[in-house]
């Protein structure tokens, strides 16, 4: 089990990108939400912060 870098919940199935984990629920939200919605923008901002730390 890994902790999702977007929702901070511990999930069994995760997508791993550069050592950071994204749960399937957050991955689905990113893929299905329209750009410029609050939820989409929140996810993108968290991803930007994560990859800026690298």
């Amino acid at each position: 089990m890994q902790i999702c870098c977007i929702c901070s919940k511990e999930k069994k199935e995760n997508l791993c990108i550069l050592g950071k984990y994204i749960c399937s629920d957050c991955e689905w939200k990113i893929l299905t939400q329209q750009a410029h919605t609050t939820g989409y923008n929140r996810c993108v901002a968290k991803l930007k912060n994560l990859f800026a730390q690298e």
Side-chain angles (χ1 to χ4, degrees), residues 3-15:
I3 296 176
C4 175
C5 64
I6 295 176
C7 67
S8 300
K9 294 181 181 175
E10 191 172 14
K11 301 283 182 118
K12 187 174 184 179
E13 294 183 21
N14 294 298
L15 172 67

Side-chain angles (χ1 to χ4, degrees), residues 23-41:
C23 72
S24 58
D25 294 335
C26 289
E27 179 185 3
W28 181 251
K29 286 179 190 176
I30 292 168
L31 293 173
T32 59
Q33 288 183 349
Q34 293 183 0
H36 306 296
T37 61
T38 304
Y40 183 85
N41 288 336

Side-chain angles (χ1 to χ4, degrees), residues 5 17-20 22 46-54:
C5 64
I17 301 174
L18 298 174
K20 307 294 182 186
I22 301 172
K46 286 191 175 203
L47 288 172
K48 282 182 181 180
N49 288 336
L50 284 172
F51 294 114
Q53 294 173 1
E54 292 295 317

